[in-house]
Amino acid sequence: MSVRRRHTLRALSVATAVVALAAGCSSANSGANKGGGGAGASGVLTLGKPDGPQTNNSNPFLATSAGATLGYRFMIYEPLVMTNQIRPTDKGDPWLATAWDWESNFTKLTFTLDERAKWADGKPLTAEDVAFTFELLKKHPALNGNGIPYDGIKVEGKKVVLTFKESQFVNQNKIITTYVVPKHIWEKVKNPETWPNRTPVGSGPYKLKTFTPQTTTLTATPTYWKGETKVKELRYTAYNDNSAATTALANGKVEWSFVFMPNYKQLYVAKDPKNHKLWFPSGLGVHGLWFNTARKPFDNPALRKAMAMVVDRNAIHVQAEATLYPEITNPTGIPLPAGDSFLAPEYKSATTEPDVAGAKKILAEAGFKLSGGVLKDPSGKPVKLTFTDPAGWNDYITGLSIIKDNIKQLGIDAKVKTQTAEAWGTDVATGNFDATLHWTNSGPTPYDMYQNIMDGEILQPVGKTSQLGNFGRFKSPEATAALKEYANATEDSARTKAMNTLQKIMVEEAPVIPTAAAPIGAEYSTKNWVGWPTEEDPYAAPQHTQPDALEVVLNLKPAK
């Protein structure tokens, strides 16, 4: 499995992940880096992912589209504001909007647009286009992946004014990074929720040149309103699996990717130590074991907490994640040190060190009994469960194997079942599972992670597709109230109180067992292109399926 992106809907495409595994090498890239000055000299940048054959769909709002899975939608469509995905609290950079002003406790937002912006077909990008885009998201929930509760949308001269009935403090970045579509094209679409948009027209520096299930090629737009680009062509190749993608990276056929490698130093870096680089920063999101709390006995918080207490996160960090994903060391799930300032006082010194004796005590107090090495629930039934994840996602499968061994110490019998990514995505979304490793959303605070896991406002019954999260069907009025309080608070003290409540629920009721911090990482080569984001120069996330990938491409220059 490749590194998964934060957006939960990617599970349906599958997957942030992310990333369904995929289809054979394309001959289109076979000679890209041979001889002459390489791809940099020819202006070509090659990208690849193990997501399998793609279907021709460039609808930028659908997480299941090829544009979203491969990441090229961000090269065609642009945001109003460009934010840094690994530094989400930093002020964004002006993009289609030159200014954005929040008023009235984040219930009113005014955009001032850059008058230079225009579409690839030469038409000007106007306030009417921006207002139309927000109306589109308001009218079509399937396109509104972030579930933003838009209310008033008005054009005032060359500005666009949005109003909301409740504070959008927690949704600031999601709203200002909305990418805009042209009204003169989309207003003619009868059903934008299913429209494949096979000849996309955006304001970005690239347009779709050719599409096949294996390779998608974008070419630079000579009239890009921000000026000429150094990278003249982008070639995205979908590989069958991690192994094929890793091989392509190692031999130089692919210059930019994110794919999990259990032995990246030998498989990738050692093939060209001078140029083969990788950087895996993390945000405030996690990967974790999601329980289906609508199924017995996993509806019992004591069972979930006890399992959380015996999971060996360090073993997962070393054996499953090859130390690429930062280790989770706090039971709240908040990645450290990024989330240090959010930790509740009672958890400042807490650790995730396995505590088998403590876990057994909790189970006994809750009425569970260990008989003949088998844990039985309060009704007398043996505790059994099935872990599921897509075949080929080696880090997740290894992680499940570790957890299986860990909980065996409690007398719990578990088995691991693999599926196709598509079947798994459907089962996760509809609640047809016992427990599964999956990622969470992330954002400028831990709110996004907790909201994704615990919000009753997005809870769907088993059998009905959950689009926005809470895949574990977790019911907690207290958590839902705390999330709402955090989102609507007007003072930091109220937010701190709500955040502390959410941490306590996470630790005591364990709807998800956090297993690793979610990195937004990538592998890249400096042989032909330089200017990549690094730990020393973290101007953007390095992963090419993130919105700020466009900023990365525009920053690249041919290597000398």
Side-chain angles (χ1 to χ4, degrees), residues 65-140:
S65 70
T69 300
L70 298 177
Y72 68 80
R73 61 177 170 175
F74 301 119
M75 305 298 151
I76 296 174
Y77 296 97
E78 297 183 290
L80 288 156
V81 181
M82 184 70 76
T83 60
N84 187 332
Q85 299 299 298
I86 56 174
R87 291 189 171 182
T89 58
D90 289 359
K91 183 176 175 59
D93 295 330
W95 212 264
L96 293 178
T98 57
W100 54 102
D101 301 296
W102 287 97
E103 302 174 60
S104 306
N105 190 32
F106 297 94
T107 60
K108 182 179 180 181
L109 173 61
T110 301
F111 287 108
T112 302
L113 303 182
D114 194 320
E115 296 183 11
R116 299 174 300 162
K118 63 180 179 179
W119 301 107
D121 60 10
K123 291 181 169 54
L125 190 154
T126 67
E128 283 72 21
D129 290 307
V130 176
F132 171 82
T133 298
F134 284 116
E135 288 285 1
L136 194 68
L137 298 178
K138 179 180 178 181
K139 293 177 182 178
H140 299 278

Side-chain angles (χ1 to χ4, degrees), residues 43-45 47 58 71-78 95 118-121 199-210 216-236 256 529 549-557:
V44 177
L45 174 64
L47 306 88
S58 296
Y72 68 80
R73 61 177 170 175
F74 301 119
M75 305 298 151
I76 296 174
Y77 296 97
E78 297 183 290
W95 212 264
K118 63 180 179 179
W119 301 107
D121 60 10
T199 54
V201 175
S203 61
Y206 297 93
K207 60 183 178 181
L208 184 63
K209 180 181 179 181
T210 59
T216 300
T217 301
L218 273 60
T219 187
T221 302
T223 57
Y224 179 47
W225 66 279
K226 276 180 171 285
E228 185 180 7
T229 58
K230 300 293 185 182
V231 179
K232 301 304 181 183
E233 186 169 286
L234 299 168
R235 295 179 189 168
Y236 296 79
W256 191 11
W529 297 100
L550 172 57
E551 194 160 19
V552 175
V553 170
L554 294 180
N555 198 63
L556 295 180
K557 298 178 181 179

Side-chain angles (χ1 to χ4, degrees), residues 282-284 334-342:
S282 69
L284 290 174
I334 296 176
L336 304 177
D340 270 330
S341 63
F342 298 102

Side-chain angles (χ1 to χ4, degrees), residues 391-506:
W393 289 12
N394 298 333
D395 55 335
Y396 269 14
I397 301 304
T398 301
L400 291 177
S401 179
I402 291 171
I403 296 172
K404 175 184 174 181
D405 290 342
N406 294 157
I407 63 176
K408 192 173 183 179
Q409 300 173 91
L410 301 177
I412 299 174
D413 180 33
K415 64 180 180 179
V416 177
K417 183 182 78 170
T418 59
Q419 302 175 269
T420 65
E422 182 177 6
W424 172 78
T426 298
D427 282 350
V428 169
T430 57
N432 183 29
F433 66 96
D434 287 344
T436 183
L437 278 174
H438 194 285
W439 56 97
T440 71
N441 284 345
S442 67
T445 78
Y447 168 89
D448 292 83
M449 174 181 73
Y450 288 144
Q451 187 268 342
N452 191 218
I453 294 171
M454 298 189 279
D455 194 357
E457 293 292 331
I458 60 176
L459 177 64
Q460 298 293 340
V462 170
K464 185 174 181 179
T465 298
S466 176
Q467 296 283 1
L468 302 177
N470 199 347
F471 302 120
R473 273 62 185 177
F474 182 64
K475 294 181 181 180
S476 171
E478 184 182 13
T480 301
L483 287 164
K484 191 167 186 177
E485 181 181 353
Y486 187 92
N488 293 318
T490 57
E491 297 180 357
D492 288 341
S493 59
R495 291 192 186 96
T496 297
K497 181 181 178 181
M499 180 58 66
N500 292 351
T501 296
L502 292 168
Q503 292 175 55
K504 187 173 182 63
I505 295 172
M506 186 70 171

